[in-house]
Amino acid sequence: DVKVTQSSRYLVKRTGEKVFLECVQDMDHENMFWYRQDPGLGLRLIYFSYDVKMKEKGDIPEGYSVSREKKERFSLILESASTNQTSMYLCASSFPGGTGHYEQYFGPGTRLTVT
Amino acid sequence: GDSVTQMEGPVTLSEEAFLTINCTYTATGYPSLFWYVQYPGEGLQLLLKATKADDKGSNKGFEATYRKETTSFHLEKGSVQVSDSAVYFCALSDRGEDDKIIFGKGTRLHILP
């Protein structure tokens, strides 16, 4: 079974802190994604990566950065956390291919609260 | 651009009732279509998918048929259980170099015993 793990299920940080959210997948997937999930807004794509050391902005990249130094690990960084970044963060991975056939596999999510 | 529209929730049904969650899409190409489910406190998991017109995806008693003429992918189940209570997301992935998936906003389903 594909497994996507996230470093924390729950996290509480203070405004202005630097926050790292880690995601690891064990299926040798090239693609990795970070979303945030908010009530009434569904899932919104923050950043994604098609390969090691490469990254692409999603729909809402402001206030976030990412790092992909190894194929299996994709980190989301909040440089200076703000209260409007309180949310559920979901990581996902998938095979590449450009066919659209491949589903994404999700981690359990990290619920981040910024106070 | 591509988009997915699904019925707003919450949807509340009694156990053993028939379920339909409507989903329509807009896409420039020939997308693959998915239904994902999110149980309380968990991430999303794939429920079923269809990759071309007239395909029917099915899993755990749920079904959805890819209807190109109506650009729809409605989710159905003949007899729901309390354990089906979750949030359901319709999604599409268009062909091309981009492997992104576009999600609907989700429909929360409550099943009463």
Side-chain angles (χ1 to χ4, degrees):
Chain A
D1 275 354
V2 175
K3 193 155 189 184
V4 180
T5 57
Q6 296 183 228
S7 50
S8 305
R9 293 300 300 271
Y10 300 93
L11 210 53
V12 180
K13 295 292 182 181
R14 295 198 175 185
T15 300
E17 279 194 84
K18 191 168 186 176
V19 181
F20 292 86
L21 303 182
E22 305 285 340
C23 175
V24 177
Q25 50 93 6
D26 66 359
M27 276 299 291
D28 204 33
H29 286 165
E30 277 80 0
N31 299 336
M32 296 189 76
F33 306 83
W34 274 107
Y35 298 89
R36 62 178 283 176
Q37 181 181 15
D38 300 289
L41 298 177
L43 273 71
R44 292 181 291 168
L45 183 63
I46 305 171
Y47 267 97
F48 57 104
S49 169
Y50 292 137
D51 204 349
V52 175
K53 293 195 184 296
M54 70 82 59
K55 59 187 179 184
E56 296 282 346
K57 292 181 180 179
D59 301 317
I60 52 162
E62 296 77 21
Y64 304 93
S65 63
V66 291
S67 172
R68 189 143 181 226
E69 296 296 320
K70 293 185 177 182
K71 189 176 185 179
E72 67 271 18
R73 188 178 298 269
F74 192 35
S75 302
L76 180 69
I77 303 156
L78 287 65
E79 296 289 343
S80 177
S82 64
T83 55
N84 63 12
Q85 292 178 311
T86 291
S87 187
M88 169 71 88
Y89 290 88
L90 293 166
C91 175
S93 70
S94 74
F95 286 114
T99 64
H101 288 186
Y102 296 113
E103 64 265 31
Q104 292 180 8
Y105 295 84
F106 282 81
T110 296
R111 185 165 294 283
L112 173 67
T113 302
V114 182
T115 62
Chain B
D2 295 354
S3 66
V4 175
T5 303
Q6 61 183 106
M7 61 191 291
E8 290 190 24
V11 173
T12 302
L13 296 171
S14 297
E15 204 166 23
E16 299 184 3
F18 184 86
L19 168 71
T20 300
I21 300 178
N22 290 334
C23 171
T24 56
Y25 67 90
T26 302
T28 52
Y30 300 92
S32 293
L33 301 174
F34 307 88
W35 277 101
Y36 282 81
V37 59
Q38 184 180 33
Y39 297 106
E42 299 182 12
L44 278 69
Q45 55 184 273
L46 181 70
L47 180 60
L48 54 84
K49 70 178 185 181
T51 58
K52 62 184 188 297
D54 300 324
D55 268 3
K56 178 186 283 188
S58 62
N59 186 24
K60 299 182 181 180
F62 291 89
E63 293 182 340
T65 301
Y66 189 144
R67 301 282 188 205
K68 187 169 181 290
E69 63 276 11
T70 54
T71 62
S72 65
F73 193 55
H74 304 320
L75 183 67
E76 296 182 336
K77 186 175 186 182
S79 176
V80 293
Q81 306 300 314
V82 172
S83 57
D84 294 326
S85 297
V87 181
Y88 292 81
F89 293 89
C90 185
L92 72 82
S93 180
D94 214 341
R95 285 156 176 66
E97 297 179 2
D98 194 324
D99 288 316
K100 291 190 289 186
I101 290 182
I102 296 168
F103 291 88
K105 293 188 176 180
T107 302
R108 184 174 296 277
L109 175 66
H110 294 291
I111 305 299
L112 303 175

